Amino acid sequence: MFVRLIASILVLFCAATTPSNADEARDLRFLKKFEGSWRGPGEIVAGKYKGTRFTCHLNGTNPATGLGMGLKGDCRVGVFTQEMEATVVREGKTFKGEFLDGALGTGLDVVAGNITDDRIVLTLNRKDLNGAMLARLASDNQLNVTVSVRVGEELVPVIGMSLDRMDTLAVGSTN
């Protein structure tokens, strides 16, 4: 009797802390849409460099195992180029990862995240800086990204990008 009670509690706990198969299938379909080549303009919309315009070219990938995505490429401002890289993987019910080399280096940590029908929202952290990145697929061929930072109780948008698919990769399949 006691063993059954413990087993029942463990089953309930595991069910409460792991995503359902339907959630995983939905998330996989969504993340596969990031695969391929993306290019487009962006702008810093707040802060010291407000008004700075740039262009990014990023390649999206999905890991061979697990549930996640990666973006790698560069962004240009005039003659200056900055390499960009981000990785995000599911850990339990949330997502974790790094932007550039993470908060221990010059980048940011992805400390949480979730997916809805057409967007992924990631919580970003670096020391005292907290923020969020929203990546929304306006269509299979257009990706809008907003990065915001927390100022007091408010999230203030600081970077906006609108990226177009540059390849003919079929999206949405779950091969």
Side-chain angles (χ1 to χ4, degrees):
M1 179 83 160
F2 180 72
V3 172
R4 283 189 194 158
L5 177 62
I6 296 298
S8 297
I9 291 170
L10 286 174
V11 166
L12 288 173
F13 177 76
C14 290
T17 60
T18 57
S20 72
N21 288 339
D23 288 343
E24 283 187 15
R26 180 202 64 206
D27 291 356
L28 178 61
R29 279 191 308 275
F30 177 81
L31 292 170
K32 282 212 162 279
K33 292 180 180 183
F34 284 87
E35 288 181 342
S37 180
W38 299 88
R39 170 170 273 193
E43 183 176 355
I44 299 174
V45 296
K48 181 177 178 180
Y49 299 104
K50 180 179 179 176
T52 301
R53 295 176 188 265
F54 54 90
T55 300
C56 293
H57 183 231
L58 304 169
N59 291 303
T61 60
N62 292 116
T65 60
L67 188 60
M69 70 170 187
L71 290 170
K72 186 173 185 175
D74 60 65
C75 293
R76 292 183 64 102
V77 176
V79 297
F80 299 102
T81 300
Q82 171 68 50
E83 297 295 317
M84 296 290 163
E85 185 171 7
T87 56
V88 178
V89 294
R90 180 187 284 282
E91 287 188 13
K93 291 178 103 177
T94 192
F95 288 86
K96 303 280 178 137
E98 294 182 330
F99 173 72
L100 295 176
D101 55 354
L104 293 177
T106 60
L108 299 162
D109 287 338
V110 176
V111 296
N114 69 315
I115 294 175
T116 60
D117 292 334
D118 67 344
R119 67 192 68 203
I120 184 169
V121 178
L122 302 171
T123 303
L124 307 174
N125 181 267
R126 177 181 172 79
K127 298 178 184 169
D128 294 332
L129 175 72
N130 292 300
M133 184 199 79
L134 168 81
R136 185 178 70 82
L137 286 161
S139 71
D140 285 343
N141 296 314
Q142 186 176 34
L143 172 63
N144 296 316
V145 178
T146 303
V147 177
S148 302
V149 296
R150 184 160 302 283
V151 178
E153 297 296 315
E154 190 176 342
L155 274 175
V156 177
V158 293
I159 298 173
M161 289 187 287
S162 181
L163 306 172
D164 293 319
R165 181 175 296 283
M166 300 307 296
D167 55 20
T168 57
L169 182 68
V171 296
S173 66
T174 55
N175 297 340

